Amino acid sequence: MAVKAPWLGFLLLVSLWGLSAPALLLRRLREHIQNFQESSSLNPGFGLSQDHVAVPKQGWLEQPLDPFNASDRRTFLQRYWVNDRHRAGQDAPVFLHLGGEGSLGPGSVMAGHPVALAPPWGALVISLEHRFYGLSMPSGGLDMGQLRYLSSRHALADVASARQALSRLLNVSSSSPWICFGGSYAGSLATWTRLKFPHLVFAAVASSAPLSAVLDFYAYNEVVARSLTQVAIGGSQECLAAASAAFAEVERLLRAGPAAQAVLREELGACGSLDLTEDQGELLGALQALVGGTVQYDGQAGAPLSVRQLCGLLLGNSGNRSRSTPYLGLRRAVQIVLRSMGQRCLSFSRAETVAQLRTTEPQVSGVGDRQWLYQTCTEFGFYVTCEGPQCPFSQLPALPSHLDLCEQVFGLSAASVAQAVAQTNSYYGGQTPGATQVLYVNGDTDPWHVLSVTQDLGPSEPALLIPSASHCFDMAPMRPSDSPSLRLGRQCCPEDPEGETQERWSFCLKGHQVLVLFTIFGSAEQNLPGSTRWLPSGSASSEAATGC
């Protein structure tokens, strides 16, 4: 049932990675970008007319804490948002935007994929916050006894329950198709919702979805290195060499003794001690995350730096090049990022990081850090390393350092983490999940695309890989500064296979000019809309829709 929230407050948005200093920085960077974009979506000065900024409706669902145990009567309140501005009627399509490892605010139903689609389709737009994140926090704290109810499987059960409850609350017709949208971890959830509940969800759009869990994510920095050489986004071989030289200088200074370490603390924002190897790993990992985050969010509104800007700093293009060095460029990049995000410190000591993550009371500052670390330790891994020969950065922190964090914070052994990662892939299918009517969208600049689906898996499992696009970039509203490759990717229209026995469901991502044709052979697996029933307003047939 829908209820009112007992408490409200300002909570922060977060992102992927395991939770050492590199992950904390990357999460703060993602939080900064999402806050900026949400603020923009609610501000007419950023491209939306005053007409489009009516505050959406917030609601709460009472959900079972343990959906797999009918005798457990405990519940929690799960937040959702509704934008019914464009809803054409009781049997209109429903676009369900799934939340991931962070808070969902009103901007989740005011901008992005589902919102851009809503006007031509007359769709109802809903977003659903993930349990244990944002304001959807069960009572009882975050100790291990509580965290056992935090997993992707629990989240999927919430989606299924919410889909049925919201159908009743919002008077949605049983014939209305529900389409799930999600980006990053939430993109995986969108795929898995369609996989596990095909009778409840008609289709899904998964943007930058890391479907394959992996313990040692060394490929992340391999993509970062390759992206730093991409001329189309301002990279070059010289830029990659400069990045490598900057990290080599940081490592030299770390070895030079206390005086040099004191200089590093001052110049690079290392607020903790650098005496221990594990503390040095925190700084080096944070610097990797700064470069990796610049690549991961290249060109996005709110990002402190682009690849072009970072390369300019590393190569000394912004000042007196004869006096500049790659290290000085990296130092300037640190200053820009910290100033942009309003932070003083790039890294802390390992002991301070562990102490923060052991806190079992929900925190307004750093909300979600402990929860996401728990999910990486019990489901996904995603531990970014730089131990391969192609990695241009420091080899610290190594994989054992990430796994030690699971032991130090939760008492989970490295063997149990490895087993959990394997079980996740076995349960969901990794990069071949077998879910039909799912569109996978990725950018080849994004380091996470190597864990997603980048080639068609079948006629109803299309994949779109956009050159020079970064993480979840296709989900953002269109901007004049969008790259030509991103614009071209949004205009890509896969052909619809011919055949008289096929029943076609087509929905056009109007806001992004992407036409997706999900083809169902023979009889439909459920009572699906007819081939011409759900067309954008103004279209006379499904063939007419191909002109978007």
Side-chain angles (χ1 to χ4, degrees), residues 365-431:
S365 176
V367 69
D369 291 345
R370 178 174 168 85
Q371 297 95 298
W372 182 243
L373 175 62
Y374 179 79
Q375 286 197 262
T376 67
C377 295
T378 57
E379 293 191 88
F380 304 121
F382 295 152
Y383 302 121
V384 175
T385 66
C386 195
E387 301 176 66
Q390 303 303 316
C391 186
F393 311 123
S394 169
Q395 293 193 356
L396 295 177
L399 181 61
S401 175
H402 294 292
L403 294 174
D404 284 347
L405 205 55
C406 295
E407 174 72 41
Q408 292 171 315
V409 177
F410 301 117
L412 298 172
S413 68
S416 72
V417 178
Q419 183 180 24
V421 168
Q423 289 175 342
T424 296
N425 288 330
S426 175
Y427 184 71
Y428 291 121
Q431 288 170 294

Side-chain angles (χ1 to χ4, degrees), residues 19 99 174 213 216 258 413 451 472 479:
L19 262 293
S174 60
D216 186 348
S413 68
L451 301 182
C472 297
R479 297 186 300 158

